[in-house]
Amino acid sequence: MTVSLEDIRAAQMRITGKVTRTALQPSDDLSQRCGVPVYMKMEHHQPTGAFKLRGATNAVAMLGEDERRRGVVAASTGNHGRALAYAAGLEGIDATICMSQLVPHNKRDAIAKLGAQICIVGNSQDDAQTQAELLVAQQGMTMVPPFDDAGVIAGQGTIGLELIEDLPQLDTLLVQLSGGGLASGVAAAVKSLRPQVRVIGVSMARGAAMQASLTAGHPVQVREDETLADSLGGGIGLANRHTFAMCRDLLDGVILLSEEEIAAGIVHAYHEEREIVEGAGAVGIAALLADKVVPRGPVALILSGRNIDMDLHRRVICGEQLQ
């Protein structure tokens, strides 16, 4: 693995006191449905509303003085940009976030409120990444990638350390799968500490870039479509250095969900768990509700983010037809 257990433990030390050690909360309803204990890792309770704060905080903490002085830049589907803007702001570092037109306005506005510069370009995460690379080349800014970066992966992996600390008898873990920063980091930690745990990636059927790449045996490009799980959109990068290989080697399977199934996860989170989560945050719940995984023992899933447009949330909860 390109990111080791020791790297993740070091990240845990760097970010302690800067991020929230989130609760692992039991779900009575899901436990009854599945016939085994089901627990939810409440990452949507982070100060920025998503798990991404862990990776961004660790990556910023690892920067040298010259890198800090030149400012940081990243491409983002929203949550990484918000996390990087927050982490950089705490350190007095300038941040620029590049996003495509597909990123919801509520996520763009939240990043701007944190003081970061916003650059909207193109219609895909790949377009945003190209712009971020251009700023690195032209202005000498320091890139902090949203997922394919050892420091970011190690930061996300601290979730895995907490999961095993809180639930040593864990049997199955459902983890969001997009660019692979979360999935690879958490899987690296969990598999190192408890190799028998099944770690299953969960994504949307629309434009699941990592799943398409795993099927092809190498990174591939996919068309990026609008989805309720917008935080899971975007490619993994044709020159992927870390997350593709780690997901290939560590994941025990991948589940893909329809838009209707994702919506059902959002609704369940609200009505049964009293939690507001975005589409990506609800995919673990959705996979269980759709009977796409057969639990054998204690299950954990991650509520990865809550940064959903509230009008969209209302429409999903009310069962309005969504395109």
Side-chain angles (χ1 to χ4, degrees):
M1 293 185 295
T2 56
V3 176
S4 68
L5 180 62
E6 290 70 27
D7 295 327
I8 297 170
R9 291 197 188 280
Q12 188 176 48
M13 294 181 65
R14 291 189 196 99
I15 70 175
T16 295
K18 299 179 180 178
V19 305
T20 300
R21 191 194 192 287
T22 56
L24 186 64
Q25 181 170 306
S27 169
D28 293 337
D29 185 86
L30 290 174
S31 297
Q32 185 175 7
R33 287 171 181 262
C34 296
V36 298
V38 177
Y39 297 86
M40 304 176 297
K41 183 66 169 162
M42 312 297 272
E43 282 298 299
H44 63 310
H45 289 172
Q46 291 290 351
T48 57
F51 76 94
K52 290 280 191 176
L53 185 59
R54 294 175 182 263
T57 299
N58 186 52
V60 167
M62 296 173 69
L63 295 177
E65 287 303 317
D66 185 58
E67 293 172 315
R68 292 167 178 255
R69 179 186 56 78
R70 289 186 275 119
V72 294
V73 63
S76 173
T77 54
N79 285 337
H80 174 65
R82 189 169 181 173
L84 182 58
Y86 183 94
L90 289 180
E91 302 287 340
I93 300 171
D94 292 336
T96 298
I97 310 300
C98 301
M99 293 174 284
S100 81
Q101 298 283 354
L102 293 181
V103 175
H105 283 279
N106 68 299
K107 293 188 175 183
R108 301 186 204 176
D109 294 343
I111 293 170
K113 287 179 181 178
L114 289 170
Q117 294 294 316
I118 304 297
C119 182
I120 305 299
V121 57
N123 293 301
S124 72
Q125 177 77 345
D126 290 335
D127 292 336
Q129 180 62 33
T130 298
Q131 179 63 28
E133 291 169 357
L134 185 64
L135 292 175
V136 171
Q138 293 182 342
Q139 300 181 25
M141 303 186 76
T142 302
M143 181 79 74
V144 180
F147 54 87
D148 195 33
D149 175 85
V152 169
I153 295 168
Q156 321 303 23
T158 60
I159 295 172
L161 298 182
E162 294 175 14
L163 282 169
I164 298 302
E165 289 171 5
D166 293 344
L167 189 65
Q169 69 272 33
L170 176 65
D171 176 83
T172 301
L173 172 62
L174 302 177
V175 59
Q176 283 77 359
L177 181 62
S178 178
L182 175 63
S184 60
V186 171
V190 168
K191 292 283 191 179
S192 295
L193 295 169
R194 190 174 168 86
Q196 64 270 43
V197 174
R198 288 191 303 165
V199 182
I200 301 174
V202 188
S203 192
M204 69 286 172
R206 290 184 178 177
M210 182 61 80
Q211 169 62 359
S213 297
L214 293 173
T215 299
H218 57 86
V220 298
Q221 288 182 316
V222 298
R223 190 179 75 176
E224 190 172 342
D225 293 323
E226 288 192 44
T227 171
L228 279 174
D230 57 87
S231 293
L232 301 183
I236 70 167
L238 296 181
N240 188 285
R241 299 177 301 155
H242 305 286
T243 60
F244 171 77
M246 292 181 71
C247 287
R248 179 195 62 203
D249 296 343
L250 295 171
L251 294 182
D252 295 295
V254 176
I255 293 169
L256 299 182
L257 299 168
S258 70
E259 295 301 294
E260 293 76 17
E261 288 166 339
I262 296 169
I266 295 173
V267 171
H268 176 96
Y270 183 73
H271 285 304
E272 302 298 335
E273 314 296 347
R274 302 296 191 265
E275 300 290 341
I276 294 174
V277 296
E278 58 189 272
V283 297
I285 293 175
L288 292 177
L289 294 178
D291 295 321
K292 292 195 170 181
V293 59
V294 180
R296 308 171 306 192
V299 177
L301 56 88
I302 300 169
L303 301 186
S304 59
R306 67 167 183 258
N307 299 320
I308 187 171
D309 177 82
M310 290 309 297
D311 181 62
L312 172 61
H313 188 269
R314 177 194 59 78
R315 289 188 282 122
V316 172
I317 297 303
C318 292
E320 295 183 16
Q321 187 68 35
L322 301 172
Q323 294 184 348

